[in-house]
């Protein structure tokens, strides 16, 4: 163990990272590379971290931290005056509640770690690696991993799964592979098949199947890939619409004698269907024909389609805006004794709602709940998106208030609130926006960067400059870096409103915050605005 620890310390020094101690801040001596490209993604792999559980103490502590997030407030005195006794569970639950605000989370993590009677557990360290990776502070994340090892909290494969995910999400695939290779020095053994599949899965789900394939071909002799590894690669190529490459891996599975299963076929079926062009109708017919051929091949190998197979076909019908066919397929599946899942119901509801058949969608929602299938945030978003398209404020608030009365707001996610905040901001419904904002904070869901961006832009459009500056500064103080367009929108608006002094005061605070946490804001070179 001591030898491995020494190797880990030497490894960080070779990379140029300053080791972290209790007496200094995180130092960023190694440059952080920018992402090669930014991608949208579906269902990114998320290494399991503990969920948020009800805790009055954690709620109170997180509120206290939010109230004193300004760097000129002394966090230590605030917490000591509150008389809070730290435990590993309390610290972890508090960090989970403030994880979207990296600077507050980091400050609390460091303060609580330095208390004489407290030491962090592996969950808290893993969570902070995730938080720092999300804001691309990878040197600090590595320093935390070394600190874990030095303090006897052994980094685990989950720690590296979190780090790899954040590297790949930032487009830093080469660094992700290096982290995978460096894992052995910390976990005390060579990575196994599970870790091999984890890296492939992360690369593919973030849209890098070519990198994953190259890695797979180089290492498959050592790891003896199983059906899961092949299925991951099939998914990766399908994700970027290269179904021909996906079918090559399916063929390789057959040639190597790897057992086929319904999951692999469903992944390929999903690739054929979900990303195909469905308009005009002959494109839809072509997609359905390819899907039927694949289903026939499944049956010929003794593999029967399951609920996922049918859900994929129903989703195609939904995307093609064919409500009659969607409902027909849905009823046919139920007649065969296959119970629909929340995804199946949501696809049909989305189709009905987008085609303006809201009454039928509501009936299906009621049927869904009567059958014991709990709606997901995506299910409710089908209705809220349709209301947004219709600019139907009353219906949107009626559904929202109904959920509030039923105690179902916990079902909603960040995306739901952003849909409603964007809708009400666009329609100048300030009171409704603020009601949603407070509900969102109370439920511990957000706000996130998109929420602040929607709110600030809405305030700028209504020339509410004081409120816009307030939320802009609050966003920065919580460690959320605004987009460049938000800087420019607020800057131009203040200049046009003859509020140059306000902008200068705001920029001064931004510079102070920049020095306190990172140099990210220096990339924004604002040009003088000419009226």
């Amino acid at each position: 163990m001591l030898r491995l620890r020494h190797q880990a310390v030497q490894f960080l020094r070779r990379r140029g990272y300053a080791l972290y101690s209790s007496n200094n801040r995180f130092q960023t001596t190694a440059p952080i590379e920018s992402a090669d490209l930014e991608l949208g993604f579906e269902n990114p792999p998320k290494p399991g971290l503990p969920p948020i559980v009800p805790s009055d103490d954690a709620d109170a502590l997180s509120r206290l931290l939010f109230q004193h997030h300004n760097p000129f407030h002394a966090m230590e005195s605030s917490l000591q005056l509150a008389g809070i006794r730290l435990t590993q569970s309390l610290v972890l639950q508090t960090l989970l509640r403030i994880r979207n605000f990296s600077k507050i989370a980091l400050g609390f993590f460091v303060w609580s770690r330095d208390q004489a009677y407290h030491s962090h557990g592996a969950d808290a360290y893993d969570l902070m690696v995730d938080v720092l990776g999300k804001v691309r502070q990878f040197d600090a994340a590595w320093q935390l991993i070394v600190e874990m090892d030095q303090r006897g909290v052994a980094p685990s494969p989950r720690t590296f799964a979190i780090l790899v995910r954040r590297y790949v999400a930032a487009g830093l695939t080469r660094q992700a592979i290096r982290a995978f290779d460096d894992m052995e020095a910390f976990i005390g053994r060579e990575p196994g098949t599970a870790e091999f599949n984890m890296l492939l899965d992360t690369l593919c789900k973030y849209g890098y199947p070519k990198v994953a394939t190259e890695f797979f071909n180089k290492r498959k002799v050592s790891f003896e890939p199983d059906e899961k590894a092949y299925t991951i690669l099939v998914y990766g190529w399908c994700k970027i619409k290269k179904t021909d490459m996906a079918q090559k891996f399916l063929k390789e599975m057959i040639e190597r004698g790897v057992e086929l299963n319904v999951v692999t076929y469903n992944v390929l079926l999903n690739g054929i269907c979900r990303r195909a062009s469905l308009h005009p109708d002959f494109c839809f017919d072509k997609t359905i024909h390819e899907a039927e051929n694949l289903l026939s091949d499944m049956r010929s190998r003794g593999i029967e389609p399951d609920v996922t197979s049918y859900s994929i076909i129903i989703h195609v019908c939904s995307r093609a805006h064919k409500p009659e066919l969607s409902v027909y397929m849905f009823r046919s599946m139920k007649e065969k004794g296959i119970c629909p899942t929340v995804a199946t119901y949501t696809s049909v509801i989305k189709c009905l709602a987008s085609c303006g058949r809201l009454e039928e969608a509501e009936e299906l929602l009621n049927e869904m709940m009567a059958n014991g299938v709990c709606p997901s945030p995506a299910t409710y978003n089908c209705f809220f998106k349709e209301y947004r398209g219709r600019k139907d404020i009353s219906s949107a608030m009626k559904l929202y208030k109904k959920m509030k009365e039923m105690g179902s707001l916990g079902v909603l996610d960040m995306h739901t609130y952003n849909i409603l905040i964007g809708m009400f901001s666009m329609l100048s419904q300030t009171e409704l926006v603020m009601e949603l904002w407070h509900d969102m904070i109370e439920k511990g869901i957000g706000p996130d960067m998109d929420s602040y961006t929607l709110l600030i832009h809405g305030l700028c459009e209504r020339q509410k400059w004081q409120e816009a500056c307030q939320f802009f500064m609050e966003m920065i103080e919580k460690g959320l870096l605004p987009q460049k367009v938000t800087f420019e929108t607020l800057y131009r608006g203040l200049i046009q409103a003859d509020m140059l002094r306000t902008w200068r005061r705001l920029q001064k605070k931004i510079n102070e915050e920049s020095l306190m946490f990172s140099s990210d804001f220096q990339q924004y070179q604002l040009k003088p605005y000419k009226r």
Side-chain angles (χ1 to χ4, degrees):
M1 181 60 70
L2 290 174
R3 182 178 62 84
L4 290 174
R5 186 172 300 167
H6 176 73
Q7 289 175 351
V9 172
Q10 293 303 316
F11 146 73
L12 270 192
R13 285 175 175 161
R14 285 197 304 273
R15 288 193 173 206
Y17 294 133
L19 297 183
Y20 182 67
S21 70
S22 59
N23 298 323
N24 63 353
R25 294 182 180 274
F26 282 95
Q27 302 175 25
T28 54
T29 56
I32 299 174
E33 296 186 27
S34 60
D36 297 325
L37 68 164
E38 295 188 6
L39 295 165
F41 49 86
E42 296 175 358
N43 302 322
K46 296 182 180 179
L49 285 169
I52 294 178
V53 298
S55 171
D56 293 339
D57 288 342
D59 291 339
L61 185 50
S62 59
R63 282 195 296 270
L64 184 64
L65 290 168
F66 285 138
Q67 290 168 3
H68 295 280
H69 58 259
N70 191 295
F72 301 105
H73 287 280
M75 179 187 294
E76 292 84 351
S77 60
S78 302
L79 295 179
Q80 288 167 358
L81 287 173
I84 295 172
R85 179 72 179 182
L86 298 180
T87 64
Q88 286 192 353
S89 175
L90 175 59
V91 170
L92 176 62
Q93 287 300 316
T94 304
L95 287 171
L96 285 168
R97 285 161 170 77
I98 62 176
R99 64 186 300 178
N100 290 325
F101 307 103
S102 54
K103 184 166 60 175
I104 302 175
L106 179 59
F108 174 66
F109 179 90
V110 172
W111 176 84
S112 57
R113 184 213 56 198
D114 290 342
Q115 302 305 301
Y117 55 87
H118 178 77
S119 60
H120 289 310
D123 288 341
Y125 274 105
D126 287 352
L127 179 58
M128 279 310 303
V129 169
D130 184 61
V131 169
L132 292 170
K134 188 175 182 180
V135 293
R136 302 184 185 183
Q137 297 288 337
F138 292 111
D139 52 351
W142 270 114
Q143 291 167 29
L144 272 187
I145 292 172
V146 170
E147 181 185 308
M148 289 176 72
D149 190 62
Q150 291 174 336
R151 289 176 177 252
V153 185
S156 67
R158 182 182 70 174
T159 310
F160 283 88
I162 291 168
L163 182 64
V164 164
R165 174 177 171 249
R166 288 306 181 189
Y167 267 132
V168 177
L172 306 175
T173 57
R174 179 172 55 83
Q175 288 84 339
I177 293 172
R178 284 178 62 190
F180 174 85
D181 289 334
D182 292 329
M183 189 190 315
E184 180 183 357
F186 291 89
I187 67 174
R189 62 172 176 82
E190 293 183 356
T193 302
E195 290 77 36
F196 177 69
N197 289 344
M198 174 275 296
L199 179 57
L200 294 178
D201 190 45
T202 307
L203 288 168
C204 286
K205 286 185 176 176
Y206 280 93
Y208 297 97
K210 185 177 180 181
V211 177
T213 300
E214 291 173 355
F215 180 78
F216 174 84
N217 290 332
K218 289 178 181 178
R219 307 290 182 93
K220 64 183 178 182
V221 176
S222 304
F223 288 99
E224 297 183 4
D226 54 13
E227 71 279 359
K228 184 175 181 181
Y230 279 102
T231 301
I232 289 168
L233 292 169
V234 169
Y235 170 83
W237 287 109
C238 286
K239 184 176 177 66
I240 62 169
K241 301 182 182 182
K242 298 285 187 181
T243 53
D244 53 339
M245 286 295 297
Q247 288 172 341
K248 285 183 180 179
F249 278 103
L250 185 68
K251 184 179 179 182
E252 183 176 324
M253 286 181 72
I254 297 170
E255 292 173 350
R256 293 174 68 95
V258 179
E259 183 178 357
L260 295 172
N261 55 47
V262 69
V263 176
T264 310
Y265 272 107
N266 282 342
V267 167
L268 184 54
L269 180 66
N270 187 62
I272 291 171
C273 294
R274 288 184 80 101
R275 301 184 179 278
S277 175
L278 303 178
H279 300 284
D281 281 345
F282 74 84
C283 292
F284 172 75
D285 294 339
K286 178 184 176 182
T287 300
I288 292 296
H289 180 68
E290 289 183 26
E292 288 174 346
N293 289 340
L294 189 61
L295 291 174
S296 297
D297 185 52
M298 285 175 65
R299 292 189 179 99
S300 69
R301 296 182 184 276
I303 302 173
E304 283 298 318
D306 61 3
V307 62
T308 304
S309 310
Y310 283 99
S311 296
I312 292 168
I313 303 296
I314 289 171
H315 186 73
V316 174
C317 299
S318 174
R319 283 181 54 223
H321 300 292
K322 298 187 180 295
E324 290 84 3
L325 190 54
S326 295
V327 173
Y328 171 77
M329 291 291 297
F330 179 77
R331 301 301 178 194
S332 298
M333 182 186 71
K334 292 183 70 177
E335 288 173 2
K336 292 182 179 180
I338 300 176
C339 296
T341 64
V342 61
T344 320
Y345 275 109
T346 300
S347 290
V348 183
I349 288 172
K350 181 178 181 181
C351 183
L352 292 170
S354 63
C355 293
R357 296 161 66 163
L358 282 173
E359 291 184 2
E360 294 176 61
E362 290 168 0
E363 289 175 5
L364 194 59
L365 177 64
N366 294 332
E367 176 189 318
M368 175 184 184
M369 298 174 72
N371 290 336
V373 181
C374 182
S376 68
T379 311
Y380 288 111
N381 289 350
C382 297
F383 293 97
F384 287 124
K385 286 178 181 177
E386 181 63 19
Y387 295 142
R388 180 182 63 184
R390 298 183 178 194
K391 299 182 180 179
D392 189 347
I393 296 174
S394 60
S395 295
M397 282 309 296
K398 182 180 177 182
L399 177 58
Y400 180 79
K401 289 185 181 298
K402 180 181 177 181
M403 295 180 67
K404 195 172 183 178
E405 291 169 2
M406 294 170 58
S408 302
L409 289 187
V411 177
L412 302 182
D413 63 1
M414 194 72 257
H415 184 50
T416 312
Y417 280 102
N418 287 343
I419 290 171
L420 294 173
I421 288 170
M423 171 186 175
F424 295 146
S425 294
M426 180 179 64
L427 300 175
S428 302
Q429 299 293 319
T430 307
E431 292 183 3
L432 295 179
V433 170
M434 296 319 299
E435 179 182 346
L436 289 166
W437 193 266
H438 293 309
D439 287 347
M440 180 172 54
I441 294 173
E442 185 178 342
K443 293 295 178 183
I445 297 174
D448 63 0
M449 188 181 76
D450 291 337
S451 310
Y452 275 107
T453 301
L454 289 166
L455 180 60
I456 292 168
H457 282 258
L459 291 169
C460 288
E461 288 177 7
R462 295 192 300 279
Q463 299 184 1
K464 293 184 177 291
W465 305 115
Q466 185 175 354
E467 292 90 340
C469 290
Q470 175 188 339
F471 284 105
F472 182 83
M473 198 60 221
E474 180 181 308
M475 179 183 186
I476 293 172
E477 288 173 349
K478 289 182 178 179
L480 298 172
L481 178 64
Q483 297 176 0
K484 186 176 181 180
V485 65
T486 307
F487 275 91
E488 293 175 345
T489 299
L490 188 57
Y491 171 65
R492 291 172 181 173
L494 289 172
I495 296 301
Q496 287 179 323
D498 198 21
M499 297 175 67
L500 181 59
R501 291 180 63 187
T502 301
W503 171 256
R504 286 173 178 167
R505 287 197 298 270
L506 193 65
Q507 194 171 37
K508 181 181 178 181
K509 288 186 178 180
I510 292 171
N511 292 335
E512 290 170 350
E513 288 289 332
S514 175
L515 293 174
M516 291 294 295
F517 185 54
S518 71
S519 59
D520 289 343
F521 299 102
Q522 294 177 7
Q523 64 182 290
Y524 296 104
Q525 300 295 328
L526 300 177
K527 298 178 181 179
Y529 178 72
K530 296 181 180 180
R531 284 187 283 182

